[in-house]
Amino acid sequence: MLFGSDSHKVKALNGLYNNIFPYFSIEMLGDIVRIIELIQEHMKNPTVYQEKIKEINKGMKKYFKGNIL
């Protein structure tokens, strides 16, 4: 779960992971019911998200290794 002040870093991180993480802006923090719903939705099948994260991490690892001199 990402909580942020709408910073470019947090949004970019979420973008790297194809926006699979729920992102809660400052304005949304007061809507605790919606936050809980989104968290519960993600927790229903954590393996799916874990596999997606691992797959993306592998791709980024290959990309960054290729850019090291």
Side-chain angles (χ1 to χ4, degrees):
M1 306 299 141
L2 299 173
F3 297 89
S5 58
D6 295 335
S7 75
H8 298 294
K9 290 178 187 176
V10 173
K11 287 182 179 180
L13 175 65
N14 203 20
L16 284 173
Y17 286 91
N18 300 319
N19 299 306
I20 62 172
F21 302 110
Y23 173 80
F24 303 104
S25 66
I26 293 293
E27 295 80 24
M28 191 175 179
L29 292 180
D31 190 358
I32 192 70
V33 173
R34 182 66 181 138
I35 292 172
I36 291 170
E37 288 172 353
L38 287 170
I39 291 170
Q40 288 173 334
E41 184 179 313
H42 267 251
M43 291 175 66
K44 283 180 186 175
N45 195 351
T47 304
V48 171
Y49 295 104
Q50 289 170 355
E51 292 305 316
K52 286 181 182 180
I53 291 167
K54 286 178 187 177
E55 184 179 314
I56 292 167
N57 284 348
K58 277 183 179 178
M60 284 194 288
K61 184 177 178 180
K62 287 179 186 177
Y63 171 79
F64 289 115
K65 272 189 162 182
N67 288 314
I68 297 174
L69 299 175

